[in-house]
Amino acid sequence: MLESSKESLKLEAMKRVVGLIAKGKNASELFPAVVKNVANKNLELKKLVYVYLVRYAEEQQDLALLSISTFQRALKDPNQLIRASALRVLSSIRVPIIVPIMMLAIKEAASDLSPYVRKTAAHAIQKLYSLDADQKDHLIEVIEKLLKDKSTLVAGSVVMAFEEVCPDRIDLIHRNYRKLCNLLMDVEEWGQVVIISMLTRYARTQFISPWKEMLRDTNSEKAFYESDEEKRKSAEETKPYAMDPDHRLLLRSTKPLLQSRNTAVVMSVAQLYWHLAPKHEVNIITKSLVRLLRSHREVQYIVLQNIATMSIQRKGMFEPFMKSFYVRSTDATHIKTLKLEILTNLANEANISTVLREFQTYVKSQDKAFAAATIQAIGRCATNISEITDTCLNGLVLLLSNRDETVVAESVVVIRKLLQTQPSEHSDIIKHMAKLFDNITVPMARASILWLIGEYCEHVPKIAPDVLRKMAKTFHNEEDIVKLQTVSLAAKLYLTNSKQTKLLTQYILNLGKYDQNYDIRDRTRFIRQLIVPSERGGALSKYARRILLAPKPAPVLQSAFKDRDRFQLGTLSHTLNSKATGYLELSDWPPMAPDQSVRNVEVAEAVSRSTLALRQPVGLEIDSDEGPKNGHSCEAGSRSGSGSGSSEESSSEASESDSESSSDSDSGTEQKKQSEAKPAQKVRRSSGDGLVSVCDRVCVCVCQQLSSPVFVPVHTYELLHRMTGKGLAAQYHFSRQPCIYDDRMISVQLTFSNNGDHTLENIHISEKTSAGQNIHCFSPIECLEPEKSVTVSMGVDFNDSTQAASFQLCIYLTHTRKISQSFNVSIQPAVGELLLPVTMSEQDFSKEQGNTHTHTHTHTHTHKCSPKHNFQTSSLKQSTFYSMWFLNPEILAQHNKPNIIRMIIAISVYVELCLGSQSVVK
Amino acid sequence: MIHSLFLINNAGDIFLEKHWKSVISRSVCDYFFEAQEKAMEPDNVPPVIRTPHHYLINIYRDKIFFVSVIQTEVPPLFVIEFLHRVAEMFQDYFGDCSEVAIKDNVVIVYELLEEMLDNGFPLATESNILKELIKPPTILRSMVNSITGSSNVGETLPTGQLSTVPWRRAGVKYTNNEAYFDVVEEIDAILDKSGTTVFAEIQGVIDACVKLSGMPDLTLSFMNPRLLDDVSFHPCVRFKRWESERVLSFIPPDGNFRLMSYHVNAQNLVAIPVYVRQNISFFESGSSGRLDITLGPKQTMGKTVECVVVTVHMPKVVLNANLTATQGNYTYDPVTKILVWDIGKLNQQKLPNLKGSLSLQSGAPKPEENPSLNIDLKIQQLAISGLKVNRLDMYGEKYKPFKGVKYVTKAGKFQTGKVVPKQSSRLLFDKTK
């Protein structure tokens, strides 16, 4: 059928072949016939052939090579879906000969225009790496390139590739760190998981611990006894901890993801907070984790495991939610046991009575394994909380008369552990257990009782030899552990009460000597030598009493989750409690913060040089200082970081709001934006420099080429007061986004709110009165109900003048005879809103400076008016100005206006902003 | 990440396998079978199993085990969540996720799995994108395809994949534009024998069925958003708007989806819609027992309680039950030891009652634990927490959609008759004496 000329027949045949593959049957002998169809036009047939190829190419390498040329052709296809799927298949064919072809294809695809193809390239990197690890260096280059990608589609996949290929090359992340944090919200959910776990590791190497102060608090007592000098030192160390703004950025950008519907995302955010957030902020993850318990059984299992680990360290986190961990009869056994574990961890003096009452019902459960686990849990509570030890012990003794064997056995074991802590007071319990001994058949329990009697034979001098006698009778029928304990019991009794038990002991030792199990024979031989010294000395026998009857420390009953926190939460290794292949250790916090400037993204070399030049003096200061460097460098970091922090904060907000608004627009513009985002991002980064904090306030208008994330002030201006507007109030603000209507327009956001009592209808702009100003109106608002508000955007071309744009705003007042009402309003642009931020290199700047005479003017003005900048003129000239926002020469050229006027406007803007005044300088 | 996937039915047959990297022999599943045998019940199979060279992460759903093979470190939840998505996708495509459905559509299943993962990393998991790439099977389409030879496979990249709204496809058109929202709340509760609430909480979801043309931008607001304590959203919901204004603003996916799920603040007292009087006792001698259960409506806010079903997991020694029900009918399965009493509507005047004797295995000791009751119920047109949708607004499109909201309250894990010992912990274990 595959050879048939009819496509439908071929397709049918291929479907059957795929059916075979799915069932796991071998279909490899069809390879030659199938491979012929790889160039078929029918897409479905093609796909099925791909499936087949990927499955069998490894086995039939020579024949597989026949198909390669088809893929190479498809890689040039104009359809991005075909390009991508060709790359997918090509990279999935595990034939070593084609490695160079794959490498080439990946490199090409990494610079493809379509983000979908780039995403596929990121996947192909991992495949090639697993096929041929020698290509690592080349692949890292591609990864580095793709990490710079701004598309949310690519981000997750490339980070995945990074984790697989070069997880130790943390230096590649530095420059992309802030971008990744900001994009995180919009990345698809699977990518989010990967990025978050990578960033967790990254943050642990790059930021200093936010937990330090907490630790010091606990040590404060010790500090009291320290010598004065030490105290002084520690006082210096306790300088307030300031979180790196980038650290804060990470925490802030992941927080909303706790609300994700994807449980894996929620868990990864939870582990990020657990590992990175200051202690007092971790609590926000509790609710979300408890929510996950509503999900599928398997999800519950993993989440409960993680909660169990957390609840050991931080009881308080989950205590209010204790009822959520109550066991239901319908839960699976492993879920029940985990819940029990958590309840035990959470138990304290205050809630122990509730917990115990709950446990009491569990003991009666029909699921006996679970009942046994409950008894263990009771034992743990009893040791942890000394007030209830007696109550628990009594309860457990009562359980000894339970009908169920496992329950009794478990109680015996737990009682033994509890008794070890205070044996003398409980000889009656031991007597009671000796009485029960005949009825208990579970080996572990029998062994425990024997051990107890042996250990405390002085408390029960009469019963002990009797038990030994019984044991001698049944010795050969016992399990190995019971036999071992019998031998020990005999030895102990021989030492304490040899008169009564000498013969019995000898008898038992003889039985043990010929036992089938070599452990028992071994033990018997050893004991015999120890207690019945032979003629040839036996130096040890002198110490027999001290060896056998040494007081033994009580066992500590602790959680199985005690040490689990050495693994990163949420990982496979954590679940298994052992290191899985490919597990990446979470490093400890660095003692000193590494240079944070590595995360700054420079626009041009010049800027980076200037930043360095500026940083230098600060660094030198630290070095010359004799005090502990740690505190200082930290502080210096926060000082220089504060500027960038504030700008970062606002810009990230801006970008978020931007992405939100852009999701409203159609996908076409979105794509365009993504490609345009690059320059804008660069501009923003330059504001990361501490010195240009003024620039943050510089309100310079956004031109059309530059889009998205720039600083947007929230200041709004009044357009229409509610009194004049008959209940309608309008405000406007400049959104500083590229106007979608026209290149020359400035986009303005209007917010209408209805403060009246009646519904307003048909709000629209009736006529544009102002001459020469082009206004793009918003679409009429059909109705606006009382107490509601609505935001629309419009575009105004101010013609590069500060003249106000006036127009008429109309509404229908339905409640009064359906009369249309209109108001004259005007929008007054601040000069800054008309301008555009531009960064330029030092050379360009000096060129521009040379061009215009007035420019020197700018300098002087800025200095005089800026009280915050008491830098030397020269230093300012050298450094600050280069990274400053400046007028775009292109715009100037476009509008054919004299440069000088432009410059004056620029000066006035700077002056205005430095003074912080809103007055417009003419 | 995910290396291979095996689908295994309850009988232990591997009926589908798919490898995303090199082929792994199906003998790896032997470790799984071993664990399955040890666990006795499918629910008890541990989700993560370690084998010498691989890790097996499995989920059990609709009587099928989805066993995935992992080779390196990966968050287990990542895999579990993905496997559930796969199961949901099957359900979406074939109506149900059963062995028969998968076997019948094995080619589509394979194409789906191929699209969903690339090299073990999820590629497209949004149902809307997948449906554009691979069209779901319908009788009509398979007829047309067999005649014309056209394929089930989309030829271009779905537009959603590239946009920031990957969940919605472009160019959706409907003649009737409608948006329906179902507010479904479940009460999880544990009541003790006397009917006092030991633990109760309300969990709710809002499921939506949105069939609107174009790119509508919806805003859903509540009368009392403060009730919602903890929420999780479909990715389409704008979190910022929720944070600041407590409204749900979103561009909806096309078709059915879960808009949000929420948890109602536990401090508010939960209204328990029914009360139960139960008396199940076993006699020490004569190997028999008595059962007497009565149900009645309690806080129902004037609505009728429907679809009431009582399920009792009897102890193993109960051989048979001889009961009479005043309303509805009961069945007792002696193999699984489950007693099901299907009551139906709850009548205010005549309270349903189930009474009679239980016969026990002779000679066996009487069960020490009294069985607890699981109750299932449904109340139409009521969200028990009192949550109310205020209004739904649409922006971005001109037409007037048809809107509707439905409320349903159900019993989630509703358990009664739990024996809770009396106050003091001094009296611990008194019952066992």
Side-chain angles (χ1 to χ4, degrees):
Chain A
M1 272 164 96
L2 282 166
E3 315 273 343
S4 149
S5 57
K6 257 187 156 178
E7 254 176 34
S8 56
L9 270 179
K10 275 186 189 173
L11 192 63
E12 190 54 42
M14 244 357 260
K15 280 185 177 171
R16 287 190 200 171
V17 173
V18 169
L20 282 179
I21 297 174
K23 286 198 195 89
K25 301 220 171 76
N26 189 7
S28 58
E29 69 269 24
L30 296 168
F31 202 95
V34 173
V35 113
K36 273 182 209 156
N37 292 312
V38 73
N40 199 293
K41 285 278 177 296
N42 185 325
L43 211 64
E44 187 170 21
L45 182 62
K46 205 177 200 160
K47 274 200 165 171
L48 297 178
V49 173
Y50 284 179
V51 169
Y52 183 89
L53 257 180
V54 172
R55 173 72 178 73
Y56 287 112
E58 216 167 351
E59 293 170 25
Q60 314 244 350
Q61 305 212 345
D62 296 341
L63 283 169
L65 292 179
L66 293 175
S67 60
I68 303 296
S69 62
T70 325
F71 296 128
Q72 282 179 303
R73 221 175 308 131
L75 282 171
K76 305 264 184 306
D77 199 281
N79 185 338
Q80 49 183 346
L81 184 65
I82 292 179
R83 280 205 305 275
S85 63
L87 182 61
R88 271 181 70 183
V89 181
L90 182 66
S91 53
S92 301
I93 296 175
R94 287 168 293 274
V95 180
I97 310 170
I98 61 161
V99 165
I101 302 176
M102 265 157 89
M103 194 65 224
L104 208 68
I106 291 173
K107 275 188 178 156
E108 230 161 74
S111 42
D112 200 289
L113 276 179
S114 153
Y116 185 69
V117 178
R118 294 203 297 272
K119 186 187 176 75
T120 323
H123 287 230
I125 291 172
Q126 303 165 51
K127 298 184 212 169
L128 182 55
Y129 181 68
S130 64
L131 185 66
D132 181 8
D134 293 343
Q135 301 289 323
K136 191 172 174 179
D137 293 339
H138 296 287
L139 290 174
I140 291 177
E141 274 170 36
V142 183
I143 291 176
E144 194 174 0
K145 183 173 177 195
L146 284 174
L147 273 173
K148 292 198 183 105
D149 206 301
K150 298 287 187 298
S151 162
T152 51
L153 206 58
V154 185
S157 303
V158 69
V159 171
M160 189 64 225
F162 170 83
E163 292 278 80
E164 198 113 319
V165 179
C166 51
D168 46 340
R169 287 290 304 275
I170 225 120
D171 55 302
L172 296 180
I173 303 299
H174 289 323
R175 282 154 171 252
N176 301 296
Y177 173 82
R178 288 177 193 156
K179 181 196 75 190
L180 283 174
C181 286
N182 288 328
L183 284 182
L184 199 55
M185 249 330 244
D186 299 324
V187 175
E188 35 90 41
E189 38 198 8
W190 310 108
Q192 286 171 346
V193 178
V194 178
I195 295 177
I196 290 172
S197 74
M198 188 276 288
L199 288 179
T200 312
R201 263 187 329 111
Y202 177 84
R204 277 296 270 264
T205 59
Q206 296 300 316
F207 305 127
I208 52 166
S209 168
W211 307 334
K212 273 207 173 130
E213 272 168 311
M214 306 297 276
L215 285 175
R216 204 162 289 123
D217 277 349
T218 54
N219 290 343
S220 58
E221 225 173 320
K222 208 177 102 199
F224 181 77
Y225 299 103
E226 277 169 11
S227 67
D228 278 359
E229 200 172 353
E230 269 172 315
K231 219 192 271 176
R232 186 149 37 82
K233 206 188 263 174
S234 69
E236 264 166 65
E237 265 170 31
T238 35
K239 272 195 180 132
Y241 161 77
M243 190 185 265
D244 188 311
D246 286 331
H247 191 169
R248 176 51 65 200
L249 171 70
L250 176 62
L251 292 178
R252 202 179 37 227
S253 53
T254 48
K255 193 180 160 198
L257 294 176
L258 279 174
Q259 253 63 47
S260 170
R261 65 166 169 174
N262 188 320
T263 55
V265 175
V266 178
M267 188 65 231
S268 63
V269 177
Q271 65 86 17
L272 180 127
Y273 264 79
W274 177 259
H275 290 295
L276 296 181
K279 296 283 187 200
H280 57 94
E281 281 175 46
V282 179
N283 287 348
I284 62 161
I285 65 174
T286 317
K287 247 185 211 170
S288 307
L289 284 179
V290 172
R291 183 186 68 228
L292 296 189
L293 296 181
R294 285 277 301 172
S295 194
H296 301 283
R297 176 182 67 91
E298 298 84 5
V299 176
Q300 285 182 36
Y301 174 71
I302 305 290
V303 174
L304 284 172
Q305 275 192 325
N306 286 296
I307 292 180
T309 308
M310 291 185 194
S311 61
I312 290 177
Q313 283 188 23
R314 310 278 310 271
K315 280 188 186 196
M317 253 174 93
F318 293 97
E319 228 184 280
F321 296 91
M322 208 162 83
K323 285 187 172 176
S324 308
F325 303 110
Y326 280 6
V327 174
R328 290 164 192 283
S329 56
T330 43
D331 285 336
T333 308
H334 51 255
I335 305 262
K336 285 184 192 165
T337 344
L338 280 170
K339 282 187 172 173
L340 198 64
E341 176 73 40
I342 294 167
L343 285 176
T344 320
N345 289 341
L346 293 181
N348 57 21
E349 283 85 353
N351 59 24
I352 186 67
S353 62
T354 353
V355 173
L356 277 184
R357 237 183 298 152
E358 194 62 25
F359 281 178
Q360 204 175 328
T361 47
Y362 300 164
V363 170
K364 284 182 236 157
S365 160
Q366 292 177 28
D367 185 345
K368 288 307 163 201
F370 173 57
T374 309
I375 295 169
Q376 290 263 2
I378 293 173
R380 261 182 58 204
C381 287
T383 44
N384 292 343
I385 303 160
S386 51
E387 284 93 352
I388 57 145
T389 311
D390 286 342
T391 331
C392 285
L393 207 50
N394 291 335
L396 287 170
V397 169
L398 287 177
L399 278 180
L400 289 178
S401 47
N402 196 292
R403 239 181 291 110
D404 190 85
E405 188 138 276
T406 43
V407 172
V408 177
E410 204 61 45
S411 321
V412 169
V413 176
V414 173
I415 289 174
R416 171 182 61 80
K417 287 179 181 165
L418 285 180
L419 281 187
Q420 263 184 278
T421 50
Q422 56 224 94
S424 53
E425 307 153 28
H426 297 292
S427 57
D428 48 334
I429 293 180
I430 300 176
K431 275 180 205 150
H432 182 68
M433 284 168 76
K435 250 181 254 164
L436 283 169
F437 185 71
D438 294 338
N439 302 325
I440 294 172
T441 52
V442 177
M444 188 60 203
R446 284 177 78 89
S448 290
I449 296 180
L450 287 177
W451 184 87
L452 263 181
I453 293 171
E455 193 64 27
Y456 306 114
C457 48
E458 275 125 346
H459 300 295
V460 282
K462 289 199 181 121
I463 298 170
D466 193 47
V467 173
L468 189 64
R469 181 183 58 78
K470 281 183 196 157
M471 282 316 297
K473 249 196 253 173
T474 56
F475 189 81
H476 57 277
N477 288 329
E478 299 290 347
E479 285 282 330
D480 289 345
I481 41 168
V482 185
K483 283 179 180 169
L484 285 175
Q485 285 308 322
T486 314
V487 173
S488 321
L489 173 66
K492 284 173 188 165
L493 284 179
Y494 181 84
L495 289 176
T496 53
N497 188 2
S498 60
K499 215 184 337 165
Q500 274 186 304
T501 57
K502 190 168 184 182
L503 283 172
L504 266 175
T505 308
Q506 300 243 307
Y507 176 63
I508 284 173
L509 288 179
N510 279 332
L511 282 178
K513 199 172 165 186
Y514 301 108
D515 200 89
Q516 283 183 326
N517 187 309
Y518 55 79
D519 267 347
I520 295 168
R521 292 199 301 273
D522 225 34
R523 177 78 64 91
T524 318
R525 227 170 285 140
F526 162 69
I527 297 274
R528 187 189 289 275
Q529 287 301 317
L530 194 63
I531 58 174
V532 196
S534 61
E535 302 83 49
R536 280 182 287 118
L540 267 179
S541 59
K542 270 183 268 174
Y543 305 106
R545 212 184 161 83
R546 272 162 73 184
I547 290 172
L548 284 172
L549 293 172
K552 289 156 185 87
V556 186
L557 299 175
Q558 62 183 8
S559 166
F561 287 84
K562 183 87 181 148
D563 293 328
R564 287 252 178 134
D565 56 335
R566 67 200 153 109
F567 295 111
Q568 189 175 352
L569 290 185
T571 58
L572 185 63
S573 307
H574 175 266
T575 302
L576 296 168
N577 199 17
S578 74
K579 212 167 168 178
T581 349
Y583 173 73
L584 299 164
E585 290 277 355
L586 201 62
S587 69
D588 278 337
W589 297 100
M592 273 214 265
D595 186 14
Q596 40 184 242
S597 61
V598 288
R599 282 183 293 279
N600 294 343
V601 180
E602 303 85 354
V603 184
E605 269 305 287
V607 180
S608 83
R609 250 187 287 139
S610 69
T611 10
L612 277 178
L614 274 171
R615 282 272 155 75
Q616 217 87 66
V618 186
L620 282 172
E621 224 174 314
I622 297 165
D623 283 357
S624 59
D625 203 317
E626 279 166 14
K629 284 171 194 169
N630 189 3
H632 261 282
S633 68
C634 161
E635 208 197 31
S638 69
R639 204 195 301 143
S640 62
S642 65
S644 67
S646 64
S647 73
E648 193 61 55
E649 197 171 316
S650 48
S651 57
S652 76
E653 243 158 57
S655 72
E656 252 166 286
S657 69
D658 181 70
S659 65
E660 239 166 59
S661 65
S662 65
S663 59
D664 300 353
S665 62
D666 63 85
S667 58
T669 55
E670 179 56 33
Q671 232 176 303
K672 208 171 75 195
K673 262 190 198 166
Q674 273 168 359
S675 59
E676 284 170 0
K678 280 182 189 174
Q681 209 113 17
K682 279 186 186 168
V683 172
R684 183 159 62 98
R685 292 295 170 240
S686 71
S687 72
D689 194 328
L691 272 174
V692 268
S693 58
V694 198
C695 301
D696 297 344
R697 292 195 287 124
V698 173
C699 325
V700 188
C701 99
V702 181
C703 168
Q704 284 69 31
Q705 288 102 327
L706 294 160
S707 68
S708 52
V710 279
F711 172 68
V712 178
V714 280
H715 189 274
T716 53
Y717 308 88
E718 182 139 286
L719 187 66
L720 183 65
H721 193 263
R722 66 188 161 92
M723 294 316 286
T724 37
K726 308 247 158 79
L728 178 74
Q731 291 186 314
Y732 67 93
H733 86 278
F734 297 95
S735 61
R736 295 194 188 166
Q737 281 162 11
C739 186
I740 47 171
Y741 308 114
D742 192 334
D743 281 357
R744 301 187 172 196
M745 286 184 177
I746 309 286
S747 57
V748 183
Q749 288 222 320
L750 300 182
T751 309
F752 294 103
S753 46
N754 188 350
N755 294 323
D757 315 324
H758 303 279
T759 311
L760 300 168
E761 281 187 21
N762 198 15
I763 305 169
H764 64 279
I765 293 176
S766 74
E767 53 185 296
K768 301 137 213 175
T769 43
S770 121
Q773 283 171 341
N774 195 4
I775 296 178
H776 190 283
C777 315
F778 53 91
S779 49
I781 301 163
E782 271 177 42
C783 72
L784 186 63
E785 291 190 5
E787 305 299 322
K788 290 278 179 307
S789 64
V790 98
T791 305
V792 293
S793 73
M794 58 186 286
V796 185
D797 182 2
F798 286 103
N799 254 340
D800 296 307
S801 72
T802 52
Q803 209 169 40
S806 319
F807 50 89
Q808 264 192 344
L809 206 58
C810 292
I811 50 166
Y812 274 111
L813 297 167
T814 32
H815 61 286
T816 57
R817 296 154 293 154
K818 293 220 172 217
I819 276 186
S820 142
Q821 198 104 48
S822 57
F823 314 100
N824 285 319
V825 290
S826 63
I827 294 176
Q828 175 76 45
V831 188
E833 301 291 354
L834 301 176
L835 303 177
L836 144 118
V838 169
T839 33
M840 52 171 65
S841 67
E842 190 177 345
Q843 287 82 10
D844 287 351
F845 180 77
S846 4
K847 216 193 299 169
E848 204 69 27
Q849 196 179 21
N851 278 353
T852 161
H853 162 71
T854 30
H855 204 86
T856 30
H857 222 63
T858 322
H859 272 286
T860 44
H861 261 279
T862 323
H863 301 174
K864 279 176 190 161
C865 306
S866 144
K868 282 183 187 167
H869 280 240
N870 38 12
F871 287 94
Q872 295 295 310
T873 319
S874 56
S875 82
L876 191 67
K877 249 185 209 162
Q878 274 166 9
S879 51
T880 328
F881 238 87
Y882 307 135
S883 54
M884 272 260 198
W885 316 72
F886 199 63
L887 284 173
N888 186 351
E890 275 176 42
I891 289 270
L892 305 182
Q894 255 177 33
H895 292 276
N896 294 324
K897 290 201 177 173
N899 267 2
I900 294 167
I901 297 173
R902 287 275 148 187
M903 290 304 169
I904 292 171
I905 295 175
I907 295 161
S908 61
V909 172
Y910 290 141
V911 172
E912 175 194 341
L913 289 157
C914 293
L915 284 170
S917 74
Q918 293 296 321
S919 67
V920 179
V921 180
K922 280 167 195 147
Chain B
M1 294 212 129
I2 298 169
H3 210 293
S4 303
L5 176 71
F6 295 97
L7 300 191
I8 300 172
N9 63 14
N10 253 346
D13 297 328
I14 304 170
F15 64 91
L16 188 114
E17 62 177 71
K18 167 93 184 113
H19 307 275
W20 283 276
K21 298 182 183 180
S22 51
V23 180
I24 290 178
S25 157
R26 55 167 67 192
S27 62
V28 75
C29 291
D30 292 347
Y31 293 100
F32 171 77
F33 293 132
E34 208 174 282
Q36 191 188 7
E37 213 166 288
K38 214 189 282 171
M40 315 278 275
E41 272 175 61
D43 270 345
N44 284 348
V45 179
V48 183
I49 300 166
R50 185 193 341 212
T51 76
H53 300 290
H54 305 94
Y55 306 98
L56 304 178
I57 298 185
N58 69 81
I59 65 163
Y60 180 67
R61 216 175 137 147
D62 302 309
K63 295 184 179 140
I64 301 173
F65 284 103
F66 291 70
V67 182
S68 63
V69 184
I70 311 293
Q71 260 183 331
T72 52
E73 168 69 51
V74 59
L77 268 187
F78 185 98
V79 182
I80 290 170
E81 177 79 24
F82 177 79
L83 293 178
H84 278 293
R85 286 289 167 84
V86 172
E88 270 152 33
M89 203 58 71
F90 289 165
Q91 193 135 30
D92 201 15
Y93 264 77
F94 316 127
D96 70 329
C97 172
S98 65
E99 187 186 347
V100 181
I102 292 172
K103 275 184 172 165
D104 285 351
N105 297 292
V106 78
V107 176
I108 293 183
V109 166
Y110 236 70
E111 284 170 345
L112 272 177
L113 290 176
E114 187 72 31
E115 282 306 327
M116 287 179 88
L117 280 183
D118 181 16
N119 197 34
F121 189 79
L123 193 61
T125 47
E126 278 298 334
S127 131
N128 275 298
I129 290 177
L130 284 171
K131 279 189 177 159
E132 272 184 76
L133 280 172
I134 301 151
K135 307 217 168 50
T138 57
I139 298 168
L140 187 70
R141 182 166 299 124
S142 60
M143 293 261 285
V144 171
N145 284 353
S146 62
I147 296 163
T148 60
S150 63
S151 72
N152 277 333
V153 178
E155 306 232 340
T156 48
L157 186 71
T159 43
Q161 183 89 58
L162 291 176
S163 74
T164 45
V165 275
W167 51 85
R168 192 172 179 88
R169 54 198 170 98
V172 186
K173 273 229 149 54
Y174 288 102
T175 42
N176 298 328
N177 288 298
E178 42 195 20
Y180 297 110
F181 295 88
D182 291 359
V183 181
V184 183
E185 295 196 337
E186 292 192 351
I187 312 170
D188 284 2
I190 302 177
L191 307 182
D192 69 4
K193 241 180 169 177
S194 59
T196 333
T197 315
V198 177
F199 166 75
E201 60 177 11
I202 299 172
Q203 307 276 356
V205 293
I206 299 182
D207 284 332
C209 175
V210 178
K211 293 181 174 170
L212 298 173
S213 317
M215 271 288 170
D217 194 338
L218 302 179
T219 308
L220 185 78
S221 59
F222 298 102
M223 303 278 256
N224 37 11
R226 272 172 201 290
L227 275 176
L228 307 178
D229 183 27
D230 180 46
V231 285
S232 80
F233 299 120
H234 189 276
C236 68
V237 177
R238 296 183 184 106
F239 189 68
K240 284 253 153 150
R241 285 287 297 278
W242 171 258
E243 285 278 87
S244 56
E245 301 166 51
R246 297 275 145 182
V247 295
L248 298 177
S249 157
F250 56 97
I251 295 176
D254 188 34
N256 295 312
F257 66 100
R258 175 155 294 175
L259 181 63
M260 75 182 283
S261 47
Y262 59 87
H263 173 261
V264 174
N265 206 339
Q267 264 77 49
N268 301 350
L269 287 171
V270 177
I272 305 291
V274 292
Y275 71 86
V276 184
R277 266 201 300 270
Q278 56 176 331
N279 188 13
I280 305 175
S281 53
F282 302 104
F283 304 123
E284 201 68 63
S285 58
S287 60
S288 67
R290 283 202 64 77
L291 179 140
D292 188 348
I293 305 171
T294 311
L295 252 74
K298 206 170 158 191
Q299 293 156 289
T300 59
M301 325 233 168
K303 302 281 196 298
T304 23
V305 184
E306 297 169 18
C307 305
V308 184
V309 179
V310 178
T311 318
V312 191
H313 286 259
M314 288 293 182
K316 288 207 178 64
V317 290
V318 178
L319 284 182
N320 218 332
N322 185 17
L323 310 166
T324 42
T326 57
Q327 189 186 337
N329 37 19
Y330 79 96
T331 50
Y332 181 69
D333 184 347
V335 183
T336 54
K337 310 286 179 199
I338 294 174
L339 173 76
V340 181
W341 178 28
D342 191 345
I343 301 172
K345 249 184 208 160
L346 215 53
N347 198 334
Q348 187 80 55
Q349 277 77 42
K350 209 167 116 270
L351 300 178
N353 169 266
L354 183 71
K355 205 152 99 179
S357 64
L358 305 167
S359 55
L360 307 186
Q361 204 176 326
S362 57
K366 82 168 186 131
E368 54 189 83
E369 188 192 36
N370 276 345
S372 56
L373 275 60
N374 288 308
I375 296 171
D376 213 3
L377 55 84
K378 203 174 185 182
I379 307 170
Q380 298 281 9
Q381 278 144 41
L382 172 74
I384 198 89
S385 67
L387 185 77
K388 277 225 158 58
V389 172
N390 183 17
R391 54 180 294 146
L392 177 76
D393 297 306
M394 188 180 73
Y395 306 98
E397 293 291 333
K398 292 269 184 285
Y399 55 83
K400 283 249 184 260
F402 191 78
K403 307 176 263 193
V405 180
K406 201 168 81 183
Y407 300 93
V408 180
T409 298
K410 288 181 188 167
K413 297 169 184 162
F414 197 100
Q415 201 177 3
T416 76
K418 180 171 168 151
V419 189
V420 175
K422 292 289 163 303
Q423 289 308 307
S424 158
S425 63
R426 283 271 152 212
L427 288 170
L428 182 72
F429 308 111
D430 51 353
K431 288 276 160 62
T432 55
K433 223 170 193 174

